[in-house]
């Protein structure tokens, strides 16, 4: 079941921040927000996850609104290698059955 | 540390045949999940195994089955192949029952003619 809504595509200039939005208005209290990406012809790659606090790692930052109904993945300095389909996934902790949806196709433009 | 490996990488089968795909998880990982990716349906969850037990199953017919061995290696089998089974089959492993860090293999591209 689709629990998230993402724009189908976005462009971003190389070197600029890429901000990818995700709506998950029906998220419940024990569900996390995960982000994965899939670069062409490769398997998906885990990026980041969070419950209600903002998170940052070496790849990206995740900003979750206070009501947890939406989130934004931020790639601070997009490169051409960040061109991929980005998936926002809502899942209960302890569950491994990722539902990928259609994702956002991010194109980084030179 | 070696990543998730899948064999074979490419496979061509005929309708009605059966096929077995193999997945070797990252060393120490005990959970293995399988996904099917097609242009029309996108990435869909097939099933997940943890310590040789199937814990979750997606909405696929009984022709799709799998198993996991004591060394965590996993196989999936598709019997009575149909044209619609042509897809990229992806395997992912994780250390435990946490979904946040699943590591995916390169996939097996199955073509059914």
């Amino acid at each position: 079941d689709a629990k998230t809504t993402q724009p189908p595509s976005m462009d971003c200039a190389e070197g600029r921040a890429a901000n990818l939005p995700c709506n998950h208005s029906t998220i419940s209290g024990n569900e996390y927000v995960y982000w994965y990406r899939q670069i062409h012809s490769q398997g998906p790659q885990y990026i980041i996850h969070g419950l209600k606090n903002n998170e940052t790692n070496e790849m990206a930052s995740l900003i979750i609104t206070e009501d947890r109904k939406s989130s934004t993945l931020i790639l601070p300095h997009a490169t051409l290698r960040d061109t991929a389909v980005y998936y926002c996934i809502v899942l209960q902790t302890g569950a491994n059955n990722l539902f990928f949806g259609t994702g956002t196709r991010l194109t980084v433009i030179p | 540390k070696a990543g998730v490996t899948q064999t074979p990488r490419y496979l061509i089968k005929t309708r009605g045949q059966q096929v077995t795909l193999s997945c070797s998880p990252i060393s120490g990982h005990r959970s293995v999940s399988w996904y099917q990716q097609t242009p029309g349906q996108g990435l869909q969850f097939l099933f997940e195994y943890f310590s040789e037990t199937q814990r979750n199953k997606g909405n696929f017919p009984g022709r799709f089955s799998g198993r996991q061995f004591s060394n965590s290696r996993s196989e999936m089998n598709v019997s009575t192949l149909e044209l619609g089974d042509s897809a990229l089959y992806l395997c992912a492993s994780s250390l435990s029952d946490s979904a946040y860090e699943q590591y995916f293999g390169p996939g097996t591209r199955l073509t059914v003619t």
Side-chain angles (χ1 to χ4, degrees):
Chain A
D1 294 332
K3 292 186 176 182
T4 64
T5 304
Q6 299 177 252
S9 64
M10 293 181 64
D11 292 338
C12 177
E14 187 178 18
R16 303 297 294 270
N19 296 279
L20 293 94
C22 179
N23 286 319
H24 31 80
S25 58
T26 61
I27 193 170
S28 59
N30 63 348
E31 290 181 318
Y32 283 72
V33 179
Y34 301 87
W35 284 82
Y36 281 75
R37 73 180 182 183
Q38 187 173 25
I39 296 170
H40 184 61
S41 299
Q42 298 182 21
Q45 176 189 24
Y46 164 79
I47 301 173
I48 199 167
H49 79 288
L51 182 63
K52 56 183 178 180
N53 297 320
N54 297 338
E55 302 288 343
T56 296
N57 63 19
E58 64 279 2
M59 288 183 67
S61 294
L62 173 61
I63 308 298
I64 303 174
T65 58
E66 193 168 341
D67 62 7
R68 301 210 323 124
K69 293 185 176 182
S70 66
S71 61
T72 301
L73 178 74
I74 301 172
L75 307 178
H77 306 287
T79 70
L80 299 180
R81 288 178 295 180
D82 292 322
T83 292
V85 178
Y86 288 77
Y87 297 96
C88 170
I89 301 167
V90 166
L91 199 63
Q92 287 183 345
T93 184
N96 253 345
N97 48 330
L98 299 173
F99 179 81
F100 280 85
T102 55
T104 295
R105 183 173 297 278
L106 174 69
T107 302
V108 180
I109 302 168
Chain B
K1 185 187 276 192
V4 177
T5 58
Q6 293 186 244
T7 56
R9 293 292 313 277
Y10 303 91
L11 202 52
I12 300 175
K13 290 286 189 178
T14 304
R15 273 181 302 175
Q17 289 185 316
Q18 74 166 15
V19 66
T20 298
L21 311 181
S22 180
C23 172
S24 293
I26 292 172
S27 177
H29 284 195
R30 297 170 63 191
S31 170
V32 174
S33 300
W34 288 88
Y35 294 82
Q36 180 197 65
Q37 186 170 29
T38 60
Q41 299 297 319
L43 268 159
Q44 293 186 287
F45 172 77
L46 278 158
F47 29 65
E48 184 238 348
Y49 288 86
F50 183 81
S51 293
E52 302 179 65
T53 300
Q54 186 181 92
R55 294 198 307 172
N56 283 300
K57 190 177 190 306
N59 189 25
F60 277 83
R63 300 185 297 106
F64 292 81
S65 63
R67 60 178 175 169
Q68 185 181 34
F69 302 95
S70 58
N71 62 358
S72 293
R73 189 177 70 85
S74 177
E75 290 180 346
M76 68 162 284
N77 183 275
V78 187
S79 62
T80 319
L81 284 165
E82 301 177 359
L83 294 180
D85 298 333
S86 294
L88 180 66
Y89 290 89
L90 291 155
C91 164
S93 77
S94 61
L95 188 61
S96 63
D97 59 357
S98 299
Y100 66 90
E101 214 161 347
Q102 285 195 23
Y103 295 87
F104 283 78
T108 294
R109 172 75 62 185
L110 172 65
T111 301
V112 182
T113 63

